Amino acid sequence: MNWGITLNIKSDFDKSLWSLPPPSATRWLSKMDNTKTLEVLYHFQYMPQSWREWQHIASIKIQMVELVPHLIFSEYEAFDEVERVYTITELGKYFPKFIKYHKPLYPSDKSEFMRCLTYYCQRLHYEKRLHVEALIAIAFHFNTKCGLDYSHREVVKKAKSVMQMDRSEWRVKLSDKELHKVKSSNGKKRVQQKREEFEAKKIKAQLLRDDGMLLKDIATHVGVSIRTVKSWKLKKSSAV
């Protein structure tokens, strides 16, 4: 599948391109107000195949912005003709700077996936390093490392949905310490929630025991092991 990086530079001349690698193709776009935009394409034969390749593309974009601060990235759109086709590694050679990304908060299950992805997005936003490829990269990393079993399409869709969030209300930058505090707070809430669920099962088990249900049937009904049910020492109802 063909894929690439498309960027737009508002300019009447292509001097801005002098600091960028030779493009695969370029074309001029004219607007109603007579302003011109140079559209530049870096064309690849395939989409990134791993989370590291997605991250590599994000790193390339960060360095492109450092060279040409006023450029704007847009959705990939194929050109009729291209002069050259890059591999991600080949284009990366023009951008050798090592980009360090902060270690994310890993989700413990699917219920935390979007929240952890949003925290990561917020961090990149305030560091001025936010590109959709960085979110896709970490989303795939979450999916593999945490064994979440989302499909390729689902991972990309979730990353893009976070990218489309309204970031105007993100007023506070989350430091490493603050992120750890958030994770710790979420962990405490989950522990408390599990305790409450466990206690509710115990109460339900006692009601079933009062109705004369056998311990093994109670275990199946409330979703715990027979050993757990026995540890509860449920009392038989004295009613006749």
Side-chain angles (χ1 to χ4, degrees), residues 3-10 17 20-21 29 37-42 44 56-77 91 95 101 128-134 163 167:
W3 191 77
I5 298 175
T6 305
L7 56 95
N8 297 298
I9 304 172
K10 290 185 178 180
L17 273 177
L20 292 174
L29 304 176
T37 299
L38 182 63
E39 189 172 35
V40 182
L41 171 68
Y42 290 96
F44 303 101
H56 197 176
I57 292 295
S59 298
I60 289 172
K61 282 190 170 184
I62 289 171
Q63 293 173 79
M64 283 182 169
V65 173
E66 291 175 350
L67 291 173
V68 188
H70 56 284
L71 67 80
I72 299 174
F73 293 104
S74 60
E75 288 286 336
Y76 168 74
E77 184 178 344
L91 187 61
F95 303 95
Y101 293 90
K128 301 187 184 303
R129 291 183 170 184
L130 179 57
H131 298 285
V132 67
E133 291 81 7
M163 189 71 182
R167 297 188 287 273

Side-chain angles (χ1 to χ4, degrees), residues 139-230:
F140 275 117
H141 187 46
F142 285 169
N143 196 47
T144 301
K145 187 177 180 65
C146 304
L148 302 180
D149 296 324
Y150 285 122
S151 69
H152 184 281
R153 184 184 296 273
E154 287 176 312
V155 171
V156 174
K157 184 177 180 180
K158 288 177 182 296
K160 288 185 175 181
S161 69
V162 172
M163 189 71 182
Q164 293 170 356
M165 293 176 65
D166 180 9
R167 297 188 287 273
S168 62
E169 300 298 322
W170 292 359
R171 302 184 184 278
V172 180
K173 178 179 178 179
L174 295 179
S175 64
D176 287 330
K177 183 177 181 180
E178 289 168 329
L179 284 170
H180 178 74
K181 184 177 180 181
V182 169
K183 183 68 173 179
S184 176
S185 175
N186 289 337
K188 290 178 180 178
K189 289 179 181 178
R190 288 196 304 274
V191 170
Q192 181 61 29
Q193 182 180 2
K194 287 184 180 297
R195 286 175 177 170
E196 291 174 356
E197 291 174 354
F198 189 76
E199 186 62 27
K201 288 182 177 181
K202 185 177 180 180
I203 293 172
K204 185 176 182 179
Q206 182 60 66
L207 293 174
L208 294 173
R209 186 60 169 165
D210 290 343
D211 289 339
M213 185 177 286
L214 298 175
L215 295 183
K216 64 177 182 178
D217 294 330
I218 292 175
T220 301
H221 197 83
V222 300
V224 298
S225 67
I226 184 64
R227 184 175 181 179
T228 297
V229 173
K230 288 180 178 179

